[in-house]
Amino acid sequence: MLKKLRLSFILLLCAVPVFAQQIQSPSEFLGYKLGSQFTPHARIADYFKYVAGISKNVKLQQYGITNEHRPLMVMFIASDENINRLPEIRQHNLSLAGQGDNNSVLKNAPVIVWLSYNVHGNEPSSSEASMQALFDMVDPANSRTKFWLTNTVVVIDPCLNPDGRERYVNFYRSVVGAIPDADPSAREHNEPWPSGRVNHYYYDLNRDWAWQTQKETKARVALFNQWLPQIHVDFHEQGYNSPYYFAPAAEPFHRDITAWQKEFQTIIGKNNAKYFDQNGWMYYTKEEYDLLYPSYGDTYPIYNGSIGMTYEQGGIGAGLAIATHSGDTLTLADRITHHLSNSLSTIETASANGGKALEEFKKYFDNSRTNPPGDYKSYVIKNDNQDKINLLGDMLSRNGIKYSFGLKAKSSGFDYVTGKTEEFEIDEKDMVVNAYQSKAVLLNVLLEPKTFVADSNTYDITAWALPYAYGLKAYGIKEALKTGNASAGITRSLHANTEHAYAYISPWKSNYDVKFLAELLRSKIKVRYAERPFEAGGKMFAAGSLIITKAGNNENFDNIVKKAAADCNRELTLLSSGFVDKGVDLGSHAIRFIRAPRVLLVSGDGVSAEAMGEIWFYFEKEINYPVTIIRYKDINRIKWNDFDVAIFPDGYYDDMPADKLQNWVHDGGKLIAMQNTISLLTDKKGFSIKAVKDDKSDTTKDRSDLVKTYADRDHESIRSNVPGAIYKLDIDNTHPLGYGLDKYYFDLKLDDDLYKYLDGDGWNVGTVKKSGYVAGFVGQKAKEKIKNGLLFGVQSWGRGSVVYMVDDPLFRSFWENGKLLFGNAVFMVGQ
Ligand SMILES: [Zn+2]
């Protein structure tokens, strides 16, 4: 018996090399049937590594790492012929897009299909499907997929948001019982705060493609732009009572989307539908998911010449099984099957139309270079602020948009600030961007002052023009401009010489200055700011300028200040005397001491995770300053005296501890109340903020507007809607909250909230007047409401203050100019 066993064991060993030719399916590799449990990210990565080790038709590339140190990776899948010439294929593809070597010749160039799975972590079925899609593409026994690979290269990114996915999967695995509970009210279907949708810092990565504020996006978009696929799919899940959504997409479409891009979406959609029809699966197209905002996984590829699409399986919160409202049980296995079907169907369609797809891809970029879209063929961005020009230049470069600098000349064009055509002078340091380039479409989408919105029933913000977001003066010009030195306007690394100083002065003009201040305060350097402008050392310094004196600081202070200046790329002015040329001397009482604030940030249930995450990211990654994060449920247990600043992000807080906050503010605390938090303070004693209401309650008026048509209800509901529009605010930049800003500020307005002007002890720093509207969709009712009111203000109260921020200056971290406004609230107000 023993002998026999041994023999069969040896036989088995001998058989291994034969089996090794075969590739294990995900179920075989993982040891459980795919869909019977959620696969941790590390195991997904293991499977991809396993296939990379065994299949000759793949190349695995790690392109980045997440905040929680998980790998970001893509798998390239290609035929025997193509897999060894991926660098040539990439070069040739870029040459079709008018980039790199335009003479690159490649026989039988393949079409490139890029499949992106699981950008929202709690929409987890697609990462499971990605393993099966990979297997089906490399399975030697699969002649269908082998045939598709003859003219197609497939790129699979199994998980765009590993940290968010892992948050969800860990949660689910920790609460599901031996038998999954399909009852929707069971705890396994209700995630705790924060959900797995977002990344480590609670950013929605499907709103970040164009801005690349997050490291996952930065790494992915860099790789994406090295390849520029013809087809890109972003796999999602929607509510579990919805069936499946796939392209063609819904209105509104951006005007720059071409007829071919729409047509090919329909071709792909019809092929997807064929399989759904065969299997009797429910689906819909042409509704809900529009193509406008440029930072999605469908639009960003579209504005880069691709056929970008979103696919949505019903399934958020569904776990392994859930009872839907129609009485069916939706399982993880079902969701995987549908995503897999569309993965393969899309590759099939791409392969069947490969030649045409490549031809249209080339045409798209040829057109961009010779006949760019949009009203303006060039843009001039005035270099009034070197930091912001540097930031904008970096952002354009990351997106492959080329820019240069000006030749001294006079010109005329659309003035972003006044909204009129004006004459202006171009300086050699002004940024000039010509539209005649291969990224002309993306350029137009990002820079055009007003986005045309045919149908306002959109999913996201409708205005984002970069000059407004960066707070830079700009002009749109109807013809191309000649440019000068390509690096004339990029100035970096200017810091002070090695002399010893009585004081150093540094201007206060951008968030880099906030970062510099943060580093000084962390290093225990005493810093002051000027309440009024002054002139010293032959230079003018505006209110808010930082003053760092030898007095009060230790002997090592020169070195610390210079190092901080070098770290933050600051130009210091060295003064050898406290006697200034004009204005107040450095010892004056108008030079205020900045106490290093101890900051508290509220998080947890009731708080908007994304709004809170932006603030967390700001402190940790953008200015590197400590912040203590507490859960709101613990608010009554904290020692208020340990904190100088308390930040309440957007949220719905039960029982605001108004009495405690009042006492603490009275004693010198600073409360920063943001967005909806303000509405919870309007009726609390001592808070002087009052909302502007629309006039719904006026019963004496003719109320025939109440008579609505039921079929138009979607459009009715948007009359009060502000999906994201730009307003020009008046700024009192003599107030610390306005330091470093112009006399105006372009505000991204996300709702119709507006407050009455503060009186008495209040300062109305950012106000919207009658004609503040600039760009983006605003419903008629909201438009009537948003005028003559307060959006950013400060109430001085006892020894402390309350900062009211009705809108979010840190929205998705791409509204660069808002960061200085927020920095003012934290460091300057109330000192
Ligand atoms: Zn999603």
Side-chain angles (χ1 to χ4, degrees), residues 120 123 197 236-237:
H120 290 142
E123 302 171 7
R197 175 185 176 89
H236 288 258
E237 292 189 80

Side-chain angles (χ1 to χ4, degrees), residues 119-120 122-123 197 204 206-207 234-238 310-312 316 459:
V119 66
H120 290 142
N122 63 354
E123 302 171 7
R197 175 185 176 89
D204 184 336
N206 191 36
R207 302 292 184 277
D234 200 31
F235 288 88
H236 288 258
E237 292 189 80
Q238 50 184 343
T310 292
Y311 291 177
E312 299 266 356
I316 297 176
Y459 208 65

Side-chain angles (χ1 to χ4, degrees), residues 157-200:
D157 186 333
C159 189
L160 278 63
N161 179 11
D163 294 349
R165 179 189 161 84
E166 204 67 351
R167 192 179 311 129
Y168 174 77
V169 169
N170 270 335
F171 150 73
Y172 186 81
R173 289 165 67 100
S174 72
V175 296
V176 69
I179 299 167
D181 190 339
D183 189 320
S185 55
R187 68 171 174 168
E188 68 211 57
H189 301 300
N190 298 285
E191 273 178 280
W193 193 99
S195 79
R197 175 185 176 89
V198 286
N199 78 344
H200 176 77

Side-chain angles (χ1 to χ4, degrees), residues 698-705:
D698 186 355
T699 50
T700 58
K701 275 174 83 177
D702 166 25
R703 297 301 291 161
S704 58
D705 61 312

Side-chain angles (χ1 to χ4, degrees), residues 238-280:
Q238 50 184 343
Y240 54 76
N241 284 318
S242 297
Y244 202 108
Y245 161 84
F246 49 78
E251 290 282 352
F253 287 88
H254 192 281
R255 271 202 290 206
D256 293 352
I257 296 174
T258 66
W260 162 251
Q261 286 176 318
K262 291 180 196 169
E263 188 190 329
F264 201 32
Q265 280 211 344
T266 305
I267 294 170
I268 293 170
K270 283 188 172 164
N271 201 56
N272 291 347
K274 186 177 82 185
Y275 295 103
F276 272 58
D277 290 341
Q278 278 170 14
N279 288 289

Side-chain angles (χ1 to χ4, degrees), residues 415-475:
D415 181 332
Y416 280 67
V417 176
T418 64
K420 295 177 192 143
T421 301
E422 312 267 6
E423 304 215 325
F424 67 100
E425 290 196 5
I426 306 171
D427 190 74
E428 282 153 351
K429 290 196 161 194
D430 294 339
M431 181 182 276
V432 175
V433 193
N434 271 324
Y436 294 86
Q437 56 171 302
S438 55
K439 290 294 187 90
V441 175
L442 185 62
L443 168 68
N444 182 52
V445 172
L446 295 178
L447 259 79
E448 64 181 347
K450 285 179 206 280
T451 305
F452 175 77
V453 188
D455 182 328
S456 45
N457 215 354
T458 170
Y459 208 65
D460 210 282
I461 64 170
T462 55
W464 47 76
L466 295 181
Y468 297 128
Y470 281 71
L472 284 161
K473 293 185 183 75
Y475 298 88

Side-chain angles (χ1 to χ4, degrees), residues 101-116:
D101 177 7
N102 284 343
N103 301 317
S104 169
V105 182
L106 192 78
K107 271 193 179 164
N108 305 323
V111 61
I112 301 167
V113 182
W114 189 303
L115 305 177
S116 288

